[in-house]
Amino acid sequence: MKKYDIIIAGASFAGLSVASKLKGNVLLIDRKDIGTHVTSACGTTANLMKEVKCEKSILQTFDKFEIHTKDKETEIPISEKYCTIDYFKFCKLLNKQNNAKFIKATVKGVQGKKVMTNKGDFEADIIVDCTGWSAVLASSLKKDYVNKKMM
């Protein structure tokens, strides 16, 4: 079994963000290739994209919100530019900011310092669950961790 300093389950925005801040022998695991499975809204502030060095993923910027209803259109000014992003490009840019090893595998659960996947088990002293609302690792420790009625 291969040992790492840190294992991150989930290679979307959260997992990639965590990986970009870490040093050492880091393993990033996701069931999909990075950026190929949109897991969050593709909009945020333009300043945030610049802060995380991913401004090349910006598609459009806006300085107001527009609400269109059957009877009228309303414009609401906003204090900070908002943008839409190319999710695939954003994830690729964010992934370039880490030294983690990526493995495409389905995470099944965690036992102690061991993360179990369909590609074998991996061990680390620190394990981070970035699997989103499904909380795969946390749910393997506590079955009712995710309220399935809310899904």
Side-chain angles (χ1 to χ4, degrees), residues 41-56:
C42 295
T44 187
T45 63
N47 283 339
L48 177 64
M49 286 296 99
K50 290 177 184 163
E51 216 173 285
V52 297
K53 299 179 180 86
C54 293
E55 60 270 19
K56 289 182 180 175

Side-chain angles (χ1 to χ4, degrees), residues 34-95:
I34 292 173
T36 61
H37 184 71
V38 178
T39 58
S40 61
C42 295
T44 187
T45 63
N47 283 339
L48 177 64
M49 286 296 99
K50 290 177 184 163
E51 216 173 285
V52 297
K53 299 179 180 86
C54 293
E55 60 270 19
K56 289 182 180 175
S57 67
I58 294 175
L59 296 172
Q60 295 175 291
T61 58
F62 306 90
D63 56 6
K64 63 186 173 198
F65 285 125
E66 295 181 17
I67 299 173
H68 300 266
T69 63
K70 178 182 171 188
D71 299 320
K72 72 179 202 177
E73 296 177 11
T74 305
E75 291 184 358
I76 303 168
I78 54 178
S79 59
E80 189 174 345
K81 282 197 185 282
Y82 196 80
C83 68
T84 56
I85 60 170
D86 178 319
Y87 186 80
F88 178 77
K89 193 172 193 178
F90 166 74
C91 288
K92 292 297 185 181
L93 289 167
L94 196 54
N95 188 47

Side-chain angles (χ1 to χ4, degrees), residues 83-143:
C83 68
T84 56
I85 60 170
D86 178 319
Y87 186 80
F88 178 77
K89 193 172 193 178
F90 166 74
C91 288
K92 292 297 185 181
L93 289 167
L94 196 54
N95 188 47
K96 286 181 181 179
Q97 298 178 37
N98 72 62
N99 294 315
K101 177 180 180 184
F102 175 74
I103 293 178
K104 183 177 170 184
T106 301
V107 175
K108 295 180 176 182
V110 64
Q111 285 183 336
K113 294 182 176 187
K114 181 173 62 172
V115 174
M116 299 160 297
T117 77
N118 66 326
K119 301 259 177 98
D121 299 341
F122 303 93
E123 187 178 331
D125 291 326
I126 299 170
I127 299 170
V128 184
D129 189 345
C130 292
T131 58
W133 59 266
S134 62
V136 175
L137 297 181
S139 295
S140 76
L141 295 172
K142 184 179 177 198
K143 295 296 177 210

